[in-house]
Amino acid sequence: MDRRAALRLCGGASLSVIAVSLAPAAFARPSGPLYKDARAPIPARVADLVARMTLAEKIAQMRGTWAGKSGMLSGIAFDPARASASFPDGIGALGRPSDKRGTPGIGQAGGGGREKWRTPAQTVEFINALQRWAMEDTRLGIPVLAHEESLHGYMATDATSYPQALAMAGSFDLDLMRRVHTRMAGEMRARGVFYTLSPVVDIVRDPRWGRIEETFGEDPYLVGEMGVATVEGLQGPGKFEKLAPGRVFATLKHMTGHGQPQSGINVGPAENGHRELRETFFKPFREIVCRTSIGAVMPSYNEIDGIPSHANTWLLGEVLRGEWGFEGIISSDYTGVDEMVTVHRMAADDAEAARMALAAGVDSELPEGKAYATLADQVAAGTIDPALIDRAVARVITFKMRAGLFEDPYGSLARTEALTGSTADRALALEAARKSLCLLTNKAGALPLDPARMGRVAVIGPNANVVRFGGYSSVPKQAVTLVEGLRALAPAADIVTAQGVFITTSDDRSVDPVVLADAERNRQLIAQAVSVAKLADTIVLAIGDTEQTSREGFAANHLGDRAELDIIGEQNELVDAMAALGKPLIVCAINGRPPSWPNVIAKADAVLECWYAGQEGGTAIAEALLGRVNPGAKLPVTVVREVGQVPYYYNHKPSARRGYLFSDKAPLFPFGHGLSYTSFAISEPRPSRSRYGLDEPIEVTAEVANTGSRAGDEVVQLYITRTGLSVTQPVLQLKGFERVTLEPGERRTVRFTIPSRELMTWNRAMEEVNEPGPLILSVGNSSASLRQATVEIA
């Protein structure tokens, strides 16, 4: 029996027979249980353990607990006796050990202050006590799989907070992504966490959706490459069986169509046909599954063609496991299984939802396993095939053994203290923030500011004196605001401040209601800001979002999506008041959603897109304003002018974007856009020859030169256009990019290789083929500024 067959455990052979048949002779009669022998093949160990488990123990391994942590705690400390009483059959998965969920007075621990989170030392203590209980006090000694979030940093107290995912995507820097996520993995693993629910590789096509900040943007190639780099950073590169020290297993989420929900509302149906799914939304998932040893995949909340993803056998079985050969675990999104009852109204009850999810291939139900709690009764009633439970639990146990949990599931306080908030991590967070800043406009060279000429600087706005981290963040050990960054870099500068406006009454993203700040109070603050700005020579305005105005809307009473895209509250009034003073007006956009702010763009002398720049963002933004750093990031999404243009993505079909009555059809900013304090010239693409075979890679070079007076970064972007094929194709498709740093006058040749698989399409018969015909190669510094060459595919 091969390894894949053993992992699937779908056949009728007994598990004990499988175990012996897979093990070499040396392990046929082990001195102890085979599953505890780290030298034995993992499939044999898994089969041996599953054969020893009771039905209740198997189901326990397929369930998680989060709020249920209350059943294992005395105060904040782990209580073995309470755990044994509450979880007599063991625990499969445990959610967010770093938060205090389950302790008195702590509800949804998804934000807020330190009071909702364990300290690093408390986290290590809790995890180690939990694992000692699991290994020593449960019947079979099966360790617990604790998971955390790491969207843009380990979501735990004092851990390093990097720029939000959408900002990191704008860096177009794969090496940076790998290094950042390697450091994240080290922080998690030090505390005893082996599994993270990251990255998000949804293709996003609707900025109304509050989770847009969590994504890597709208382009399948960019999202795929960023996703691969992220997974390689978290897990390690390539294919492997066992997780290396300092690494954690990653989770691809959310499969799929999540980023273009109906009406832009989270969990809404994905209205995509199978060809569009395969050519766009599947691509990042497939690329990562095929190129890495990705540990887990999480289905999306939405439905596709009437079938919720958590019950979609075609999606999770035929495509993910069948076509792509995925062998990890499929973990449900939080409450994703029971939402087939409460949201989709497809299943009559949790029992039916459990049958649907299990048949589709969901191995682990998070966070509490509410639906899978019905499985034992269903086996007794004959409504569930026990083989499906064996299949799922075998995958879960395999995952734990590949992670090394059976050998050493513990965290290290010494290593945690050495890594948490380290000098190296702070330096990397600062580098990431610098490389994520995107200069959108710069009229008449308004930026950078010259400290010798800028005079008194009024730093105004709701985001000037606070650090916005964005969704899925905790409280880092240190953080720098924009005002702090400016004062540290220019201690002799005359800097004055004013609030300007407040955006919302609270900044806590875990709070359900979102209440805009009082308008009349804001207008009083605007008047105060005008008084301050009148006496200044330059105005820096920090505006945008809070963690409440762009967030995951995970329930009807916890909304996060918006019907309008312009800047909210009285922020436009603040912009108007500042612009009316006639002084240089520099806008720092600190936001989760793309800046569809036409009034701001029209009135500002320069706009620097900062996104949520992480804990060191204040320093990086100040450096960019003062010219110590030259912004070089690009937009990973198209920025629309108004909500009526949605959905707008650069890689649209030829029949789209004809135009509107009374409105400009062009976006506010195109995909790939980003300016610099210097200038660059990029040559036309130079293919190695004019004709290529269907199976041949296409090799292309282009020359980029810094024609300005400052050192800077440029992102050279390669696109293709295909015409005359059996099905219509997008007008442009990104197929390569490289970020280069050049000194003034320096030139460099950039080389791209497009493998033939990147040219394949799904024809009318839904076969993936590379068809002959012309291919236009386009190179430039954005999707709207390109030079072309044509080759033939024959």
Side-chain angles (χ1 to χ4, degrees):
M1 178 178 293
D2 66 18
R3 178 174 179 272
R4 179 173 295 181
L7 287 176
R8 287 177 178 166
L9 288 172
C10 293
S14 73
L15 295 171
S16 57
V17 170
I18 293 173
V20 173
S21 68
L22 284 171
F27 305 117
R29 292 196 180 100
S31 57
L34 179 63
Y35 74 88
K36 291 188 176 182
D37 191 336
R39 300 169 302 163
I42 286 178
R45 296 173 64 195
V46 170
D48 177 66
L49 176 54
V50 174
R52 298 170 186 267
M53 297 172 72
T54 66
L55 177 61
E57 288 169 333
K58 292 175 183 177
I59 294 169
Q61 289 300 308
M62 297 163 58
R63 299 177 61 201
T65 185
W66 183 34
K69 286 186 287 190
S70 60
M72 63 183 74
L73 299 174
S74 291
I76 195 174
F78 182 82
D79 185 329
R82 293 200 70 204
S84 294
S86 300
F87 304 95
D89 301 304
I91 298 171
L94 183 133
R96 303 179 187 175
S98 60
D99 73 27
K100 292 182 180 178
R101 178 94 168 181
T103 62
I106 301 296
Q108 187 87 359
R114 291 179 178 271
E115 72 279 358
K116 292 188 175 183
W117 304 87
R118 286 183 169 85
T119 66
Q122 288 170 340
T123 301
V124 173
E125 181 181 6
F126 171 67
I127 289 175
N128 287 353
L130 167 72
Q131 297 292 20
R132 277 194 297 273
W133 166 81
M135 298 285 281
E136 299 171 10
D137 293 354
T138 64
R139 187 177 76 89
L140 294 171
I142 303 174
V144 178
L145 181 62
H147 64 258
E148 293 277 19
E149 301 278 359
S150 63
L151 180 65
H152 56 111
Y154 175 22
M155 193 177 77
T157 309
D158 290 351
T160 308
S161 181
Y162 296 92
Q164 183 57 285
L166 195 60
M168 291 291 292
S171 73
F172 281 73
D173 190 329
L174 300 179
D175 175 67
L176 176 66
M177 293 293 287
R178 291 187 188 93
R179 288 186 288 123
V180 162
H181 286 87
T182 296
R183 299 298 297 190
M184 287 185 204
E187 284 193 275
M188 286 185 278
R189 187 68 179 263
R191 297 193 199 187
V193 176
F194 290 68
Y195 174 36
T196 183
L197 306 186
S198 179
V200 174
V201 291
D202 297 312
I203 301 297
V204 64
R205 286 179 163 181
D206 198 324
R208 296 174 297 179
W209 188 49
R211 304 193 73 173
I212 188 170
E213 66 182 59
E214 301 177 32
T215 75
F216 295 139
E218 71 185 40
D219 179 76
Y221 181 83
L222 175 64
V223 175
E225 292 303 305
M226 288 290 173
V228 168
T230 297
V231 172
E232 288 177 341
L234 292 168
Q235 297 191 167
K239 298 289 186 178
F240 58 82
E241 183 177 53
K242 293 185 178 180
L243 199 62
R247 303 289 187 170
V248 298
F249 273 124
T251 306
L252 296 187
K253 60 184 191 183
H254 312 82
M255 193 169 173
T256 189
H258 203 33
Q260 194 180 2
Q262 186 181 90
S263 302
I265 294 176
N266 194 42
V267 316
E271 298 173 324
N272 309 111
H274 281 201
R275 178 175 284 105
E276 188 172 21
L277 288 171
R278 289 187 177 277
E279 293 189 342
T280 301
F281 293 91
F282 281 1
K283 277 191 173 182
F285 291 91
R286 180 186 184 185
E287 200 70 16
I288 296 165
V289 168
C290 292
R291 288 166 57 184
T292 75
S293 287
I294 181 67
V297 171
M298 178 177 286
S300 53
Y301 285 118
N302 57 275
E303 65 174 71
I304 298 172
D305 196 23
I307 309 297
S309 296
H310 284 79
N312 198 322
T313 304
W314 170 76
L315 181 71
L316 304 179
E318 293 181 32
V319 175
L320 176 62
R321 290 201 185 276
E323 295 179 20
W324 303 347
F326 173 69
E327 291 186 340
I329 60 171
I330 297 175
S331 290
S332 82
D333 207 338
Y334 275 31
T335 72
V337 176
D338 52 84
E339 282 189 10
M340 287 191 281
V341 180
T342 61
V343 174
H344 296 287
R345 304 179 188 179
M346 181 179 177
D349 51 28
D350 281 339
E352 186 176 10
R355 292 196 297 273
M356 291 177 177
L358 190 60
V362 176
D363 305 306
S364 173
E365 188 195 358
L366 305 178
E368 310 294 343
K370 180 171 174 283
Y372 279 12
T374 69
L375 290 178
D377 288 343
Q378 295 201 70
V379 169
T383 57
I384 284 283
D385 183 351
L388 294 178
I389 293 174
D390 283 352
R391 182 182 71 176
V393 75
R395 290 170 179 159
V396 171
I397 297 299
T398 297
F399 189 94
K400 292 185 176 187
M401 288 183 176
R402 291 184 63 207
L405 282 165
F406 280 80
E407 287 69 58
D408 184 7
Y410 303 109
S412 164
L413 181 57
R415 184 152 179 78
T416 294
E417 290 175 340
L419 290 177
T420 300
S422 69
T423 300
D425 281 357
R426 289 201 69 179
L428 184 57
L430 178 57
E431 178 189 351
R434 289 167 173 164
K435 289 186 173 181
S436 298
L437 301 177
C438 181
L439 185 61
L440 297 180
T441 68
N442 195 19
K443 301 170 186 175
L447 285 178
L449 300 175
D450 183 347
R453 298 180 181 180
M454 65 187 184
R456 173 175 288 181
V457 179
V459 185
I460 296 170
N463 291 344
N465 249 321
V466 64
V467 179
R468 304 289 187 199
F469 296 108
Y472 288 90
S473 58
S474 179
V475 184
K477 192 172 184 178
Q478 58 273 309
V480 182
T481 69
L482 172 56
V483 170
E484 290 169 341
L486 284 169
R487 286 180 169 157
L489 287 171
D494 185 1
I495 296 174
V496 294
T497 65
Q499 177 67 34
V501 297
F502 287 99
I503 302 174
T504 49
T505 58
S506 168
D507 291 338
D508 186 349
R509 74 176 189 277
S510 67
V511 173
D512 291 331
V514 176
V515 180
L516 291 177
D518 181 74
E520 287 309 310
R521 173 57 177 152
N522 273 345
R523 292 185 179 111
Q524 293 171 9
L525 291 172
I526 291 172
Q528 293 173 14
V530 169
S531 297
V532 171
K534 279 181 177 179
L535 301 177
D537 300 289
T538 303
I539 302 169
V540 173
L541 199 56
I543 54 178
D545 284 318
T546 75
E547 285 87 346
Q548 288 191 334
T549 63
S550 179
R551 68 177 186 178
E552 178 183 0
F554 58 71
N557 67 334
H558 187 98
L559 301 175
D561 312 302
R562 298 216 320 253
E564 298 292 339
L565 299 176
D566 204 350
I567 199 163
I568 64 170
E570 286 65 53
Q571 293 184 90
N572 264 323
E573 294 181 34
L574 175 63
V575 170
D576 292 344
M578 295 298 104
L581 297 176
K583 302 175 186 290
L585 178 58
I586 310 300
V587 168
C588 295
I590 299 174
N591 47 302
R593 277 188 178 80
S596 295
W597 309 340
N599 180 61
V600 175
I601 302 303
K603 292 177 178 173
D605 293 290
V607 178
L608 182 67
E609 176 55 82
C610 308
W611 304 110
Y612 295 138
Q615 67 177 51
E616 308 298 329
T619 299
I621 298 167
E623 289 176 330
L625 294 177
L626 297 174
R628 300 192 187 186
V629 166
N630 192 346
K634 303 291 183 177
L635 289 173
V637 289
T638 301
V639 179
V640 300
R641 293 181 180 275
E642 53 187 308
V643 73
Q645 291 183 320
V646 174
Y648 199 130
Y649 39 92
Y650 87 91
N651 49 344
H652 58 79
K653 292 296 185 72
S655 58
R657 300 291 152 200
R658 177 175 289 173
Y660 302 96
L661 283 173
F662 319 122
S663 297
D664 191 338
K665 73 173 183 177
L668 196 58
F669 297 106
F671 174 88
H673 170 78
L675 305 178
S676 173
Y677 295 155
T678 189
S679 57
F680 296 93
I682 301 175
S683 74
E684 74 285 349
R686 297 165 183 167
S688 59
R689 57 182 191 270
S690 61
R691 190 178 181 88
Y692 294 87
L694 293 173
D695 298 324
E696 292 182 312
I698 297 173
E699 297 176 343
V700 185
T701 62
E703 188 174 82
V704 55
N706 184 339
T707 58
S709 59
R710 288 176 176 265
D713 288 9
E714 182 61 288
V715 178
V716 183
Q717 303 162 41
L718 172 66
Y719 299 84
I720 68 168
T721 303
R722 303 215 66 184
T723 59
L725 304 188
S726 61
V727 295
T728 61
Q729 295 298 301
V731 295
L732 280 175
Q733 298 179 73
L734 183 70
K735 294 299 177 183
F737 58 84
E738 184 171 338
R739 181 167 178 157
V740 295
T741 302
L742 298 176
E743 295 296 322
E746 185 179 1
R747 295 176 177 270
R748 187 173 305 170
T749 298
V750 178
R751 303 180 185 277
F752 298 104
T753 299
I754 306 175
S756 59
R757 61 184 172 80
E758 285 291 339
L759 303 179
M760 299 183 80
T761 61
W762 291 84
N763 65 16
R764 294 191 182 193
M766 287 303 291
E767 300 165 329
E768 192 176 25
V769 297
N770 188 4
E771 297 182 343
L775 175 71
I776 300 173
L777 300 166
S778 301
V779 169
N781 62 4
S782 87
S783 62
S785 179
L786 300 168
R787 302 181 70 179
Q788 298 179 338
T790 301
V791 298
E792 189 74 19
I793 307 298

